[in-house]
Amino acid sequence: MGEECQQAILRKGILVLFLSLLFILPGCLDGDDSNDGGNNSSSSDKITLDIWHTFAAESKEEEVFTNAVKAFEANNPNVSVDITMVPFGNADQLFMTAAQGGQAPDLMRLSSDQLGAIGEIRVDSLPLLEDLRPHLTPQDRSNFEERALAAMRYGDALYGVPASQDCLSLIYNKALFDAQGVDYPDESWTHDDLLNAAQQLTYQDVQGLALPVKSAYWWFPIQEGFGGSLFNDSGTPTLDSNGSAEAMEWMLDLELEHEVVATGTQIEGMKNQFISSKAAMIIDGPWNWATYEASRLSIGQTILPIVDDSGDRMSPLVTYKGWSVSKQSEHKIAASELALWLSSASVQKDFALETYTMPTHSELKNDQDILGDDVIRGFLEQTQFGTPAPTTRAMSLVYDPLSTAFEQAYSGISTTEDALSDANEELISQIDGLQKAAPLQPNTGYRTIPLEFQLNQSVLNYSIYVDEVLHTQFIVSDVLGTSNSGYDSCTSSGEELNQSGQIRIIPTLATNLNCSLTGMIPNVEHIIDVYSDGELFYSTIGSTSVSDQRPSAGDTSPVMFALGAIVLSLIALLSYGRWRDQRLKRTNSRLAHAYIAPALLALAVLTFYPVIYGFWLSFTDADQTHLGDQSFIGLSNFWDVITASGFIRVTIFTLVWTVVNVTAHIGIGLFLALLLQRTSIRGKTAYRTLLLLPWAVPSYISVLVWRGMFQPDGFINDLLGTNIDFLSDPTGAQVVVILVNIWLGVPFMMMSISGALQALPKDMYEAAELDGVTGWDAFRHLTLPNLRSALVPLTLLGFIWTFNMFNVIYLMTDGGPNLYFGEPGQTDILITYVYDVAFREGAYGVAAAWSVIIFLMLLAFSWTYMKQTNATEGSS
Amino acid sequence: MTESQIMRDWYVPVEVLTLRTWLVVAFIVNLLLLTVEVLREDSLSLILGLLICVLFAALRASLPHVHELGKRNISLALSALIIGIGLFRLGSSSLSFFDIWMHAWAIIPSILSLWWLSNRAVTVWTSNKLSTSAIEFGLLRNFETINKHEKISTHLILLHFVLITVIPLLWIIDIAFSPGNALGGEIGDSFSTEHFSKILKGDSFWIWFVNSLIVSIGTSLLGLTIAIPAGYAFSRYKFTGRDVSMFAFLLVQMFPGIIILVPYFLVMKTLGLLNTHLGLILAYCVTALPLCVWMLKGFFDTIPRELEEAATLDGCNQFQVFTKVVLPLSTPAIAVTALFSFLAAWNEFLLALTFNTSNDMYTLPVGLASLISSTGQAWGDFAAASVLVSLPVALLFLFFQKFLIDGLSAGGVKG
């Protein structure tokens, strides 16, 4: 084949690429259609709703949920529902990614604290979730407990319909109480009673109480009990309010001084303790009740005790879970119907009776079946004594400074008062440092029909019916009631009416009424009847044609152009390289560029755009409060990164982490590979397979099992006969995470080096042995030089992978222990800290800057390493 | 120098040879085991442990050479001393399995050294009564027993490593086979297959399994298809842009993936690859490419050009040279990279989660994650699922070892 043939091949290749692009382009253009779409749901077309839930696979909750959805589909034949289960731990991130990519589902199950975290996010200056206030009628709203509904509001907007609630309560093991002759806990208990009982119940290997004393979530009820509170009425943090320090002191003493709580109890471990009857009491929620019963424990529940000193009862934090409609949904009306159905009395009752999910429906408060179940009744009672968690961004930020405060107080670095006041200062400064989203422009008039009519002084009550369904109720009275909660507007002579529950109160002297009726279907005529005392008072017909607002996220055309540009530039570069080689008369490498083209193309198409985008982001002020609307701010992010406190420390630990790991991986891997290769023993296959197993098992579970093994009541401490909490000591934690990562990484290195050793000719060793070169010398002078071509890329890639190894540290310690406020934890490496910055703070620009710095560090290392080892040399 | 003098200088009894390495190992292990005493905060044991380490070092140093009877006797004394201290420590410990094992590392090497150094061969060797026939006899003995010693030491070392490797996995298996969903309890206290039946009876697991299988096999195949030519080109040819391209493969691994999820998502959406097998396959190929390309290049480097030239002279064209000469010799490399690509795809979570928006495309890692509910983990189910996920991989390891161990020897092709 002559040179012309080679050129022909190259030309053909380019043609193929162009043709394939042509095929892709129309496909991409089609994809944009999904963003247009009807903004009203006419009842004659078939609609498909996409709903995401976070119930565990194959669980009872999933079953109840699926049945509820099927019932909805049966009642609404023009709606079909696609159910997607998403893993709970990643649900909100997944939702955010999908929303930015224009693929968000119609409905999503979210909790009130998640609403607090994502409420401030703006994509294309619109929030992620639909404000449900115009979608709900006052009758709809009256179905839910006031507090529950209020908990689903972020700022003024209502982002979800509450379907369930939960909070901590006191659960006890009756058998253990009987064994020690202690009376069961009851509502009259004080916190001293709790402590005394716990002390009486602690004997041999049984602890009186199972409680993770360093966890803020368990401290909240105690803080409230001692008279403190997390925030004051205006939402300012008051972590160090009166009683907070005493509460923390009392809680820590349970483990440190009175020893009624086992050393180093963590959330997962406390459940195990209780299940294996090693703890007499546990402060836990209803979510584990079924598991405890399944372990054949005889258990009881009562509400948390009163604190003597203040006279207040311990009040746990109540969180609510509900259904939200995404702002991108094209079928918001059907979606809100489904959300209301899933939170209806019958569905909530099913959930309650079959899965111990506490209901929020007002009808169910007096339902016989609900009250008849002791467990549900007991936990519901606890929620009455609970404090709803504020649905604010500050609430979502509370855990970090508090965890540091607990570490400091627990290890004695600081007193509880100082720790809490430092934590409070840190929280306040974090909140101040956050970017705030621009105020929302509400979609006025959407699904709302204004109604105005004159009142009759002699009438005492009114009821508005829309299409023969009760909508709003009024009474005429001079009772004060509470002021309008901001869901909708009803005025008389310009004054907003007060309400009692959802019933509006008209002052006795009022003459007219002007109401915005929510929950109307657009572009449809509605018959509005006003009844008073059962008789028709006023009637009219109204409609609204205000349409839905939807963000235009996920536009793929800029991406398409970018991809096209990348592909074309790559082809141009390859062709240039080919041309230059021809000029330099390198005739033996005619096909080289064609050989590397597929790999380079795949790499370029999939990864260049995201990486370039990441680079660009680092120069902007990208933040979750204004996604899609970032502006260039130059190097300011980089300055923030370099001057961040703890930057040097976390970089040093990352380097230590990487170097120790890679050295051990390759050292031990080499050792084992040599051992298996060069000695002749039986059972090599078995040994190799066993040694490779850490690579086969999903690292998620093996890392968590290792974590369990290093707990104070875990395997390692059993072996040693000690009681050390390895992971809460900075050096201990660092050593442990490194050891676990070594365990994880050696198999791969061992196998790769085994493969490389295979390629070495065996007669080389035989020849050497004849010359008397054996053992160590043979290794140094024969094996190593020949392994170089395999060891160099393995070291290089091993370094890069370990530097960016996220899983192990995230799962074992989550970067902890966090000993300093506002700084990375003691086992944080650069990449785990980037994760915190990106997802907790939503400061994407800064996170991108951190990533670029990581990139530059790795780049510098690789470049030097490659130069030093001449890694790119070809065969000699 | 006469032959017998050479032999005299050169011969060392096998026991002494073995002790030379084993005592060093015993020293290192006992040194490492001192951390246990530190963690236990037991000063007496710590001091005794330190003493043992020092004694082992001294023992190693006092191993005799030919005709050094005195040194041999010192060694015997030191061994006896170590045995004594070791037994004392053992006696005063809690006699758990771990303690017995720990003290065995002091007692057994010293007993061995005492026994061996006092046997006939060594006594004769260190005395003045060494005859040529004794040396010949000794050399024969060496030849027969050195292999045995090597095998025993290899087995010992490998067993220790296997133990460390396998303990957490035993836990996982135990949890998978225990009733209930707790992460705790003793190993082997109860047995139940409820988790396995629950998972295997449900539809979801099989859907996840099939998806993972398709995606992982696809990744291996496609990855090899595009990496092999690239590796070959980098190894054999000098061309413009060679260094830069090789470096480019590394560059993309360096950027933390978390930040680029959203643009990556958009790229997939643009290409219409969301929620498809092909999308994941391509994404995983790209992740695995750097290693595949570099490893294959490294392997191709070790294949001498002369072989290819010889084949060309024999009338093969480019393609035949590649398939008949190069590929067979690189079976280990191809096996490693295929296995690596497969596992990279099989265990990958984040991209599979982000790019799949429908449950029937979920792969095993995502399915596993969805067993976790908001209220905590169903550990039993999760462990059972993990065991099921690891089984195919373990089988794959067994299968692939054939390629690793029996790569075609170079002998046949060499001219």
Side-chain angles (χ1 to χ4, degrees), chain A residues 25-41:
Chain A
L25 283 176
C28 304
L29 291 170
D30 272 338
D32 287 327
D33 283 345
S34 59
N35 270 339
D36 319 319
N39 37 23
N40 51 330
S41 72

Short mmCIF file of all heavy atoms in Angstrom, two decimals, chain A residues 25-41:
data_model
loop_
_atom_site.label_atom_id
_atom_site.label_comp_id
_atom_site.label_asym_id
_atom_site.label_seq_id
_atom_site.Cartn_x
_atom_site.Cartn_y
_atom_site.Cartn_z
N LEU A 25 -26.52 15.60 15.10
CA LEU A 25 -27.10 16.94 15.19
C LEU A 25 -28.62 16.97 15.17
O LEU A 25 -29.23 17.59 16.04
CB LEU A 25 -26.55 17.82 14.06
CG LEU A 25 -25.14 18.33 14.29
CD1 LEU A 25 -24.64 19.10 13.10
CD2 LEU A 25 -25.07 19.19 15.54
N PRO A 26 -29.25 16.29 14.21
CA PRO A 26 -30.72 16.37 14.23
C PRO A 26 -31.29 15.82 15.52
O PRO A 26 -32.24 16.36 16.06
CB PRO A 26 -31.14 15.48 13.06
CG PRO A 26 -29.93 15.37 12.20
CD PRO A 26 -28.75 15.50 13.10
N GLY A 27 -30.65 14.77 16.03
CA GLY A 27 -31.12 14.21 17.30
C GLY A 27 -31.08 15.26 18.39
O GLY A 27 -31.96 15.37 19.22
N CYS A 28 -30.02 16.06 18.40
CA CYS A 28 -29.91 17.09 19.42
C CYS A 28 -30.95 18.16 19.24
O CYS A 28 -31.54 18.65 20.20
CB CYS A 28 -28.53 17.74 19.35
SG CYS A 28 -27.20 16.57 19.50
N LEU A 29 -31.19 18.53 17.99
CA LEU A 29 -32.16 19.58 17.77
C LEU A 29 -33.54 19.15 18.24
O LEU A 29 -34.30 19.93 18.78
CB LEU A 29 -32.21 19.93 16.27
CG LEU A 29 -30.96 20.64 15.76
CD1 LEU A 29 -30.97 20.73 14.25
CD2 LEU A 29 -30.85 22.02 16.38
N ASP A 30 -33.82 17.87 18.06
CA ASP A 30 -35.12 17.38 18.52
C ASP A 30 -35.27 17.56 20.00
O ASP A 30 -36.33 17.85 20.50
CB ASP A 30 -35.25 15.87 18.22
CG ASP A 30 -35.81 15.66 16.82
OD1 ASP A 30 -36.44 16.59 16.32
OD2 ASP A 30 -35.60 14.58 16.27
N GLY A 31 -34.18 17.36 20.70
CA GLY A 31 -34.26 17.34 22.16
C GLY A 31 -34.77 18.62 22.76
O GLY A 31 -35.26 18.65 23.87
N ASP A 32 -34.64 19.76 22.01
CA ASP A 32 -35.06 21.02 22.61
C ASP A 32 -36.56 21.15 22.71
O ASP A 32 -37.06 22.02 23.38
CB ASP A 32 -34.52 22.19 21.77
CG ASP A 32 -33.03 22.33 21.96
OD1 ASP A 32 -32.57 22.04 23.08
OD2 ASP A 32 -32.34 22.69 21.00
N ASP A 33 -37.26 20.31 21.99
CA ASP A 33 -38.71 20.48 21.99
C ASP A 33 -39.31 20.31 23.36
O ASP A 33 -40.35 20.87 23.66
CB ASP A 33 -39.35 19.43 21.06
CG ASP A 33 -39.17 19.84 19.61
OD1 ASP A 33 -38.84 21.01 19.36
OD2 ASP A 33 -39.35 18.99 18.74
N SER A 34 -38.63 19.53 24.16
CA SER A 34 -39.26 19.22 25.45
C SER A 34 -39.45 20.44 26.30
O SER A 34 -40.18 20.42 27.27
CB SER A 34 -38.43 18.18 26.19
OG SER A 34 -37.13 18.70 26.40
N ASN A 35 -38.76 21.52 25.97
CA ASN A 35 -38.90 22.70 26.82
C ASN A 35 -40.10 23.54 26.49
O ASN A 35 -40.54 24.35 27.27
CB ASN A 35 -37.64 23.57 26.74
CG ASN A 35 -36.66 23.13 27.81
OD1 ASN A 35 -37.05 22.51 28.77
ND2 ASN A 35 -35.40 23.43 27.60
N ASP A 36 -40.60 23.40 25.26
CA ASP A 36 -41.88 24.07 25.02
C ASP A 36 -42.93 23.10 25.49
O ASP A 36 -42.65 21.97 25.81
CB ASP A 36 -42.11 24.31 23.51
CG ASP A 36 -40.84 24.76 22.85
OD1 ASP A 36 -40.13 25.57 23.45
OD2 ASP A 36 -40.55 24.26 21.75
N GLY A 37 -44.10 23.49 25.51
CA GLY A 37 -45.07 22.49 25.98
C GLY A 37 -46.25 23.21 26.52
O GLY A 37 -46.17 24.39 26.88
N GLY A 38 -47.30 22.53 26.56
CA GLY A 38 -48.54 23.18 27.04
C GLY A 38 -48.36 23.71 28.43
O GLY A 38 -47.65 23.15 29.23
N ASN A 39 -48.93 24.81 28.71
CA ASN A 39 -48.89 25.27 30.09
C ASN A 39 -50.24 25.18 30.75
O ASN A 39 -50.50 25.79 31.74
CB ASN A 39 -48.33 26.69 30.19
CG ASN A 39 -48.76 27.54 29.05
OD1 ASN A 39 -49.77 27.28 28.40
ND2 ASN A 39 -48.00 28.57 28.79
N ASN A 40 -51.08 24.43 30.17
CA ASN A 40 -52.29 24.10 30.93
C ASN A 40 -52.59 22.63 30.62
O ASN A 40 -52.23 22.12 29.57
CB ASN A 40 -53.47 24.97 30.52
CG ASN A 40 -53.65 24.98 29.02
OD1 ASN A 40 -52.68 24.84 28.28
ND2 ASN A 40 -54.86 25.12 28.56
N SER A 41 -53.16 21.98 31.57
CA SER A 41 -53.44 20.57 31.33
C SER A 41 -54.89 20.45 30.95
O SER A 41 -55.79 20.67 31.76
CB SER A 41 -53.13 19.76 32.59
OG SER A 41 -54.09 20.01 33.57
#
